[in-house]
């Protein structure tokens, strides 16, 4: 598994736990534990931490964008996996350096996470939401 993909998987698992416990757990500690368990010795630990804490820092705006992009599916009704895959993908689309993480890579990675960890329609759902948001971003710029 490529290092950045592993990093995103670790972040998804940490965000899942954090979200499951209503954001009452220490996300940084969860990420550190998950790195030790799932990614000991891999070279993207800084990226992993930056991604997880970036999602947390920008959560209100990210959730607002998700809600406005999928109004028929309220955030609280999304599965924890779908919700957090969208959060990761959106963080990368909105806040990451586009030279480091091109938008299409962010979308494709989110789709893969959704397919690997989500339900049968998760990949299509994530693709639809992030694709629509990406088109809007492109129109604005």
């Amino acid at each position: 598994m490529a290092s950045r993909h592993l990093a995103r998987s670790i972040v998804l698992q940490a965000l899942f736990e954090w979200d499951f416990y209503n954001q009452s757990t220490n996300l940084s500690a969860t990420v550190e534990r998950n790195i030790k368990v799932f990614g000991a010795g891999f070279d993207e630990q800084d990226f992993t931490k930056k991604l997880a804490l970036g999602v947390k820092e920008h959560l209100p705006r990210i959730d607002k964008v998700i809600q406005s992009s999928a109004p028929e599916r309220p955030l609280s009704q999304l599965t924890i996996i779908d919700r957090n895959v969208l959060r990761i993908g959106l963080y990368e689309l909105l806040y990451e350096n586009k030279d480091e993480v091109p938008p299409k890579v962010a979308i494709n990675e989110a789709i893969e996470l959704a397919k690997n960890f989500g339900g049968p329609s998760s990949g299509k759902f994530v693709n639809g939401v992030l694709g629509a948001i990406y088109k809007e971003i492109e129109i604005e710029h």
Side-chain angles (χ1 to χ4, degrees):
M1 180 181 299
S3 292
R4 288 271 170 115
H5 186 74
L6 176 59
R8 290 177 181 96
S9 296
I10 290 169
V11 170
L12 177 59
Q13 292 172 67
L15 288 173
F16 181 98
E17 182 177 331
W18 183 67
D19 201 6
F20 183 83
Y21 289 110
N22 297 311
Q23 303 171 0
S24 65
T25 59
N26 183 321
L27 182 59
S28 294
T30 303
V31 170
E32 290 287 344
R33 184 187 71 235
N34 286 357
I35 287 172
K36 286 178 186 160
V37 172
F38 302 113
F42 90 119
D43 59 352
E44 292 291 351
Q45 292 185 24
D46 290 341
F47 175 79
T48 306
K49 294 170 191 174
K50 177 183 169 193
L51 182 57
L53 298 178
V55 169
K56 180 182 178 184
E57 178 184 347
H58 297 285
L59 191 66
R61 178 161 186 243
I62 290 170
D63 282 355
K64 185 176 179 182
V65 171
I66 293 170
Q67 195 56 63
S68 66
S69 301
E72 69 285 351
R73 306 260 312 258
L75 208 57
S76 63
Q77 292 180 6
L78 295 178
T79 67
I80 295 176
I81 291 292
D82 290 355
R83 181 169 52 238
N84 286 292
V85 167
L86 286 171
R87 287 172 172 163
I88 292 168
L90 263 176
Y91 172 79
E92 291 195 287
L93 279 177
L94 298 174
Y95 300 103
E96 275 295 336
N97 178 334
K98 303 305 179 240
D99 293 329
E100 189 176 331
V101 181
K104 292 185 180 186
V105 170
I107 293 169
N108 286 336
E109 283 289 326
I111 292 167
E112 288 304 310
L113 286 174
K115 287 179 181 178
N116 291 333
F117 292 97
S121 62
S122 293
K124 289 179 183 179
F125 174 68
V126 166
N127 185 27
V129 173
L130 293 181
I133 292 167
Y134 175 65
K135 287 178 186 173
E136 291 234 354
I137 293 170
E138 286 295 294
I139 290 169
E140 291 174 5
H141 293 99

